[in-house]
Amino acid sequence: MDRRIVRSRQMIMQAFIGLLGEQDFERITIQGIADRANVNRGTVYLHFTDKYDLLEQSVETYLTMLADSCKPEGGTATELSRDLVIRTFTYLKEHAAVYGVLITNKGIPTFRHRMTQMIEGNMTVVVNHMKLETGIHRDVLAQFLSLSLTGLIEWWVVQSMPYSPEEMVEQMTKILEARLRLW
């Protein structure tokens, strides 16, 4: 793809994410996005059908970037490794301006929902390769781990990332190893 096209799309998406951080999705206009991106309104329409299409493509783009940054070198992870989870938290911290808006924007649950689905898919692969002797159903464990990780990421972002990625993974490890007896 032509570099000018890629650059225009990036500028438009960045402008859109910036506006999402400042106002509700419903109040964002194509003209506002064009003004922020310093492009003509028609340029936005060349790349996106409307702001809903822009939202969908932005969510997909940023999820893909997150997933790509955290993949192991060999492709799909079949083990939940500390390194992969640290890379996930590190990537989110390095790109906090974008992911903070996408994860916490209360009017647009799309990103959080899709991130949960992505994490669940990865957790399902990991859980299916685990040796379980505890009577825990694999689907229940995958669901529990994916929702827990998503919730923890959201909490961490909302709280302005009070702990390092390494500390977050250390805490998660301690929780999982503790086998808390709540009932």
mmCIF file with all atom_site columns, all heavy atoms in Angstrom, residues 51 62 85 116 176 179 181:
data_model
loop_
_atom_site.group_PDB
_atom_site.id
_atom_site.type_symbol
_atom_site.label_atom_id
_atom_site.label_alt_id
_atom_site.label_comp_id
_atom_site.label_asym_id
_atom_site.label_entity_id
_atom_site.label_seq_id
_atom_site.pdbx_PDB_ins_code
_atom_site.Cartn_x
_atom_site.Cartn_y
_atom_site.Cartn_z
_atom_site.occupancy
_atom_site.B_iso_or_equiv
_atom_site.pdbx_formal_charge
_atom_site.auth_seq_id
_atom_site.auth_comp_id
_atom_site.auth_asym_id
_atom_site.auth_atom_id
_atom_site.pdbx_PDB_model_num
ATOM 1  N N   . LYS A 1 51  ? -18.088 7.296   10.801 1.00 0.00 ? 51  LYS A N   1
ATOM 2  C CA  . LYS A 1 51  ? -17.347 7.187   12.059 1.00 0.00 ? 51  LYS A CA  1
ATOM 3  C C   . LYS A 1 51  ? -17.497 5.807   12.692 1.00 0.00 ? 51  LYS A C   1
ATOM 4  O O   . LYS A 1 51  ? -16.627 5.371   13.438 1.00 0.00 ? 51  LYS A O   1
ATOM 5  C CB  . LYS A 1 51  ? -17.738 8.297   13.036 1.00 0.00 ? 51  LYS A CB  1
ATOM 6  C CG  . LYS A 1 51  ? -19.118 8.203   13.629 1.00 0.00 ? 51  LYS A CG  1
ATOM 7  C CD  . LYS A 1 51  ? -19.348 9.360   14.588 1.00 0.00 ? 51  LYS A CD  1
ATOM 8  C CE  . LYS A 1 51  ? -20.672 9.236   15.305 1.00 0.00 ? 51  LYS A CE  1
ATOM 9  N NZ  . LYS A 1 51  ? -20.860 10.335  16.270 1.00 0.00 ? 51  LYS A NZ  1
ATOM 10 N N   . TYR A 1 62  ? -5.794  -1.620  16.305 1.00 0.00 ? 62  TYR A N   1
ATOM 11 C CA  . TYR A 1 62  ? -5.075  -1.568  17.572 1.00 0.00 ? 62  TYR A CA  1
ATOM 12 C C   . TYR A 1 62  ? -5.062  -2.915  18.292 1.00 0.00 ? 62  TYR A C   1
ATOM 13 O O   . TYR A 1 62  ? -4.097  -3.235  18.994 1.00 0.00 ? 62  TYR A O   1
ATOM 14 C CB  . TYR A 1 62  ? -5.612  -0.445  18.462 1.00 0.00 ? 62  TYR A CB  1
ATOM 15 C CG  . TYR A 1 62  ? -5.168  0.907   17.946 1.00 0.00 ? 62  TYR A CG  1
ATOM 16 C CD1 . TYR A 1 62  ? -6.064  1.772   17.335 1.00 0.00 ? 62  TYR A CD1 1
ATOM 17 C CD2 . TYR A 1 62  ? -3.837  1.302   18.039 1.00 0.00 ? 62  TYR A CD2 1
ATOM 18 C CE1 . TYR A 1 62  ? -5.647  3.003   16.839 1.00 0.00 ? 62  TYR A CE1 1
ATOM 19 C CE2 . TYR A 1 62  ? -3.414  2.529   17.548 1.00 0.00 ? 62  TYR A CE2 1
ATOM 20 C CZ  . TYR A 1 62  ? -4.325  3.377   16.951 1.00 0.00 ? 62  TYR A CZ  1
ATOM 21 O OH  . TYR A 1 62  ? -3.901  4.586   16.455 1.00 0.00 ? 62  TYR A OH  1
ATOM 22 N N   . VAL A 1 85  ? 3.140   -12.320 29.147 1.00 0.00 ? 85  VAL A N   1
ATOM 23 C CA  . VAL A 1 85  ? 2.245   -11.436 29.882 1.00 0.00 ? 85  VAL A CA  1
ATOM 24 C C   . VAL A 1 85  ? 2.960   -10.122 30.213 1.00 0.00 ? 85  VAL A C   1
ATOM 25 O O   . VAL A 1 85  ? 2.371   -9.043  30.105 1.00 0.00 ? 85  VAL A O   1
ATOM 26 C CB  . VAL A 1 85  ? 1.682   -12.120 31.142 1.00 0.00 ? 85  VAL A CB  1
ATOM 27 C CG1 . VAL A 1 85  ? 0.734   -11.201 31.884 1.00 0.00 ? 85  VAL A CG1 1
ATOM 28 C CG2 . VAL A 1 85  ? 0.965   -13.420 30.770 1.00 0.00 ? 85  VAL A CG2 1
ATOM 29 N N   . THR A 1 116 ? -11.268 -8.885  25.207 1.00 0.00 ? 116 THR A N   1
ATOM 30 C CA  . THR A 1 116 ? -11.619 -10.049 26.028 1.00 0.00 ? 116 THR A CA  1
ATOM 31 C C   . THR A 1 116 ? -11.732 -11.297 25.155 1.00 0.00 ? 116 THR A C   1
ATOM 32 O O   . THR A 1 116 ? -11.235 -12.364 25.515 1.00 0.00 ? 116 THR A O   1
ATOM 33 C CB  . THR A 1 116 ? -12.933 -9.809  26.793 1.00 0.00 ? 116 THR A CB  1
ATOM 34 O OG1 . THR A 1 116 ? -12.784 -8.648  27.612 1.00 0.00 ? 116 THR A OG1 1
ATOM 35 C CG2 . THR A 1 116 ? -13.299 -11.001 27.667 1.00 0.00 ? 116 THR A CG2 1
ATOM 36 N N   . LEU A 1 176 ? -2.495  -16.808 41.379 1.00 0.00 ? 176 LEU A N   1
ATOM 37 C CA  . LEU A 1 176 ? -2.770  -18.110 40.787 1.00 0.00 ? 176 LEU A CA  1
ATOM 38 C C   . LEU A 1 176 ? -2.122  -19.254 41.581 1.00 0.00 ? 176 LEU A C   1
ATOM 39 O O   . LEU A 1 176 ? -2.687  -20.344 41.678 1.00 0.00 ? 176 LEU A O   1
ATOM 40 C CB  . LEU A 1 176 ? -2.294  -18.143 39.336 1.00 0.00 ? 176 LEU A CB  1
ATOM 41 C CG  . LEU A 1 176 ? -3.090  -17.254 38.377 1.00 0.00 ? 176 LEU A CG  1
ATOM 42 C CD1 . LEU A 1 176 ? -2.439  -17.222 37.014 1.00 0.00 ? 176 LEU A CD1 1
ATOM 43 C CD2 . LEU A 1 176 ? -4.532  -17.725 38.270 1.00 0.00 ? 176 LEU A CD2 1
ATOM 44 N N   . ARG A 1 179 ? -4.017  -20.379 45.220 1.00 0.00 ? 179 ARG A N   1
ATOM 45 C CA  . ARG A 1 179 ? -5.185  -21.260 45.251 1.00 0.00 ? 179 ARG A CA  1
ATOM 46 C C   . ARG A 1 179 ? -6.077  -20.883 46.422 1.00 0.00 ? 179 ARG A C   1
ATOM 47 O O   . ARG A 1 179 ? -6.360  -21.688 47.314 1.00 0.00 ? 179 ARG A O   1
ATOM 48 C CB  . ARG A 1 179 ? -4.782  -22.716 45.323 1.00 0.00 ? 179 ARG A CB  1
ATOM 49 C CG  . ARG A 1 179 ? -4.002  -23.158 44.127 1.00 0.00 ? 179 ARG A CG  1
ATOM 50 C CD  . ARG A 1 179 ? -3.618  -24.590 44.225 1.00 0.00 ? 179 ARG A CD  1
ATOM 51 N NE  . ARG A 1 179 ? -2.688  -24.904 43.148 1.00 0.00 ? 179 ARG A NE  1
ATOM 52 C CZ  . ARG A 1 179 ? -1.854  -25.895 43.175 1.00 0.00 ? 179 ARG A CZ  1
ATOM 53 N NH1 . ARG A 1 179 ? -1.814  -26.707 44.201 1.00 0.00 ? 179 ARG A NH1 1
ATOM 54 N NH2 . ARG A 1 179 ? -1.053  -26.101 42.183 1.00 0.00 ? 179 ARG A NH2 1
ATOM 55 N N   . ARG A 1 181 ? -8.755  -20.184 49.033 1.00 0.00 ? 181 ARG A N   1
ATOM 56 C CA  . ARG A 1 181 ? -9.936  -20.931 49.446 1.00 0.00 ? 181 ARG A CA  1
ATOM 57 C C   . ARG A 1 181 ? -10.957 -19.920 49.940 1.00 0.00 ? 181 ARG A C   1
ATOM 58 O O   . ARG A 1 181 ? -10.863 -19.437 51.051 1.00 0.00 ? 181 ARG A O   1
ATOM 59 C CB  . ARG A 1 181 ? -9.578  -21.918 50.546 1.00 0.00 ? 181 ARG A CB  1
ATOM 60 C CG  . ARG A 1 181 ? -8.546  -22.920 50.106 1.00 0.00 ? 181 ARG A CG  1
ATOM 61 C CD  . ARG A 1 181 ? -8.806  -24.255 50.778 1.00 0.00 ? 181 ARG A CD  1
ATOM 62 N NE  . ARG A 1 181 ? -7.783  -25.203 50.423 1.00 0.00 ? 181 ARG A NE  1
ATOM 63 C CZ  . ARG A 1 181 ? -7.887  -26.038 49.401 1.00 0.00 ? 181 ARG A CZ  1
ATOM 64 N NH1 . ARG A 1 181 ? -8.945  -26.027 48.643 1.00 0.00 ? 181 ARG A NH1 1
ATOM 65 N NH2 . ARG A 1 181 ? -6.917  -26.880 49.141 1.00 0.00 ? 181 ARG A NH2 1
#
